[in-house]
Amino acid sequence: MLNTNHSRRRGGPRRGLPPQLARAGLLGVGAALLTGCGSQQLLSIGDLSSAYNREMFWMSVWAIAFSIVIFIGVSYALFYTVRKFREDRNDAEPEQFHGNNRLETILVVVPVLIVMLLSVLTVRTMARLNPTPQNAVKVDVLGKQFWWNFGYPAAPAAAGGNVTNGNELVIPTRSPVALTITSGDVIHAFWAPNLGGQRDATPGTHKTWQIDTDRAGAYQGNCNVLCGASHANMRFKVIALDPEQYNTFLQAAQAYRAPEPAPGSAEARGYTLFMQGNPATGALACAACHRVQGTPAAGAAGPDLSFFGTRRTLGAGMWEGERAQEMLHGWIKHSPALKPGSLMPAYDGQEYRLNGKVQKAGLLTDAEIDDIAAYLRSLRLPEEANYWRDVPVTSQNASAQGGNP
Ligand code: CUA
């Protein structure tokens, strides 16, 4: 669904392999097209732009080739035996060979060798993938019901804290990215198949994982452990930029402070509502749950909104592009109705059910919601740091994925 039309940059080591084969990939048998649109490589563990996937691919090639040899050998022995020793009417009882030490030794030693060989292949691949290189870009991944935060522990922000982005992870190409993955509630799993494997996000633990790619573009990710009502709506994007562009992004993100709205503007009204809510109508402040870098908003119960205006997705990847713009008003107004299990309070003054309990929503007028939306849209990185800039909007990623909430 995404980014398949890029010119392929062939950076890292690569062995000759017809791209069709690579894509169809022996591994790609499970090539997991999550949303069922089969024409493009959306989620593919057969994407050999990733060193991780290449290792897995070649290990599988060897394992499968070896299995084919065994299969042919066993089949040959079987047919040979059946043919050669088939019953003949005149035969007396066939020769018995119980207690044949040589045969029994062979039958034990050969399978042990086979298992050892496959183990060596596996252990070798694990050893190559596990150590995290010193030069890796470090990212802290936090999964919660039902969204992601991606923090850069080595990139402190001038305004305080570290650079953090919600639901959109920006990485450089041609560099290993070392993830430290955890969860704030239940077990989730970080899964961006084109970039290499998956890893559980488990509360109370910090698991390491590594992803990488040679090819710039946007990649789809998804939570991959059933974690509640909106498990399937717990998506994210990984945007891989050329190293220079990535540095531009990171420096701008570190220097970023949310723009100060002009007095009297919609953004200024939105800013006030965002920070304070409306106590008179019971509307809770957005800032209680969300962080915006360079403002007093430092909430951690919801995704970071510092670069919200730069982001292309809404609701942890439920909508993209134009559709995300259209949905923003409704999303602020009544998120739990659009996304089952969403913990964001509603603002339409109605009663609603949240986790089985009846809640009374605070009230914001449509005009007030539009003011908040205007404020959120103003939270933009400078254009040179807009990480979506060179990612083409295809008809597919402009259209709704989750248009059916
Ligand atoms: Cu989080 Cu499934």
Side-chain angles (χ1 to χ4, degrees):
M1 195 166 264
L2 283 176
N3 103 303
T4 47
N5 304 326
H6 287 254
S7 59
R8 298 186 128 224
R9 282 188 193 80
R10 298 189 170 249
R14 213 172 257 278
R15 280 175 253 196
L17 188 82
Q20 304 89 318
L21 175 60
R23 231 170 272 148
L26 290 165
L27 271 170
V29 170
L33 290 164
L34 256 199
T35 56
C37 49
S39 62
Q40 294 197 23
Q41 155 210 355
L42 168 62
L43 294 175
S44 172
I45 55 175
D47 185 342
L48 301 190
S49 306
S50 156
Y52 179 97
N53 287 350
R54 285 196 293 274
E55 288 287 345
M56 298 300 284
F57 178 81
W58 284 108
M59 188 191 80
S60 305
V61 166
W62 282 111
I64 290 169
F66 191 55
S67 306
I68 289 171
V69 171
I70 295 171
F71 177 78
I72 291 172
V74 170
S75 303
Y76 176 80
L78 179 69
F79 283 111
Y80 174 83
T81 314
V82 166
R83 210 178 132 76
K84 172 140 197 212
F85 299 103
R86 72 176 185 275
E87 190 181 22
D88 196 314
R89 276 193 202 101
N90 305 320
D91 266 0
E93 185 173 337
E95 193 190 338
Q96 300 299 304
F97 52 92
H98 176 76
N100 183 330
N101 283 341
R102 200 173 66 155
L103 184 65
E104 287 183 3
T105 309
I106 290 173
L107 289 180
V108 169
V109 169
V110 169
V112 167
L113 286 177
I114 290 170
V115 170
M116 276 172 59
L117 191 76
L118 289 174
S119 305
V120 166
L121 275 175
T122 309
V123 170
R124 193 188 63 154
T125 305
M126 285 167 70
R128 279 192 193 171
L129 291 175
N130 257 337
T132 300
Q134 287 303 308
N135 62 347
V137 170
K138 293 183 178 57
V139 176
D140 291 334
V141 177
L142 170 69
K144 288 189 84 172
Q145 288 174 318
F146 297 95
W147 50 271
W148 302 88
N149 256 1
F150 302 110
Y152 298 76
N162 292 327
V163 169
T164 304
N165 200 10
N167 301 318
E168 295 184 357
L169 167 59
V170 183
I171 63 168
T173 57
R174 301 190 290 282
S175 163
V177 178
L179 308 176
T180 303
I181 305 174
T182 192
S183 161
D185 40 40
V186 300
I187 299 177
H188 306 276
F190 177 97
W191 187 49
N194 294 62
L195 310 173
Q198 67 158 317
R199 188 74 155 155
D200 277 2
T202 310
T205 67
H206 291 82
K207 295 187 174 164
T208 54
W209 196 241
Q210 191 180 314
I211 57 171
D212 74 284
T213 181
D214 294 342
R215 189 181 60 222
Y219 298 87
Q220 184 69 39
N222 210 111
C223 178
N224 201 20
V225 168
L226 183 61
C227 57
S230 269
H231 156 68
N233 295 322
M234 190 172 163
R235 305 174 199 168
F236 58 94
K237 298 283 182 193
V238 183
I239 301 94
L241 302 177
D242 290 332
E244 280 160 51
Q245 243 187 315
Y246 171 79
N247 286 333
T248 305
F249 155 77
L250 199 63
Q251 280 163 21
Q254 286 184 269
Y256 177 90
R257 287 169 196 276
E260 215 152 289
S265 62
E267 288 84 356
R269 292 192 299 274
Y271 174 84
T272 306
L273 288 163
F274 187 93
M275 294 300 162
Q276 298 164 13
N278 188 345
T281 62
L284 303 169
C286 313
C289 295
H290 297 282
R291 171 178 177 267
V292 176
Q293 191 173 304
T295 76
D304 196 296
L305 298 179
S306 297
F307 317 130
F308 184 89
T310 296
R311 288 181 0 203
R312 195 181 269 181
T313 60
L314 177 67
M318 282 188 81
W319 307 282
E320 295 184 46
E322 288 296 308
R323 188 80 178 127
Q325 295 294 328
E326 292 163 19
M327 295 304 293
L328 181 54
H329 180 99
W331 177 251
I332 297 171
K333 189 168 182 170
H334 203 140
S335 152
L338 297 172
K339 182 169 178 172
S342 168
L343 295 175
M344 190 158 104
Y347 290 93
D348 56 2
Q350 308 291 314
E351 285 193 340
Y352 65 104
R353 293 186 81 81
L354 188 68
N355 284 344
K357 285 190 219 106
V358 176
Q359 310 267 342
K360 176 83 165 81
L363 180 65
L364 293 176
T365 64
D366 282 340
E368 287 173 322
I369 288 172
D370 284 338
D371 290 343
I372 293 177
Y375 175 64
L376 288 173
R377 289 192 177 106
S378 76
L379 301 176
R380 272 198 303 274
L381 288 163
E383 187 52 24
E384 74 271 12
N386 173 4
Y387 50 84
W388 283 112
R389 197 176 45 177
D390 295 334
V391 178
V393 180
T394 67
S395 58
Q396 276 151 325
N397 60 34
S399 71
Q401 271 189 29
N404 234 343

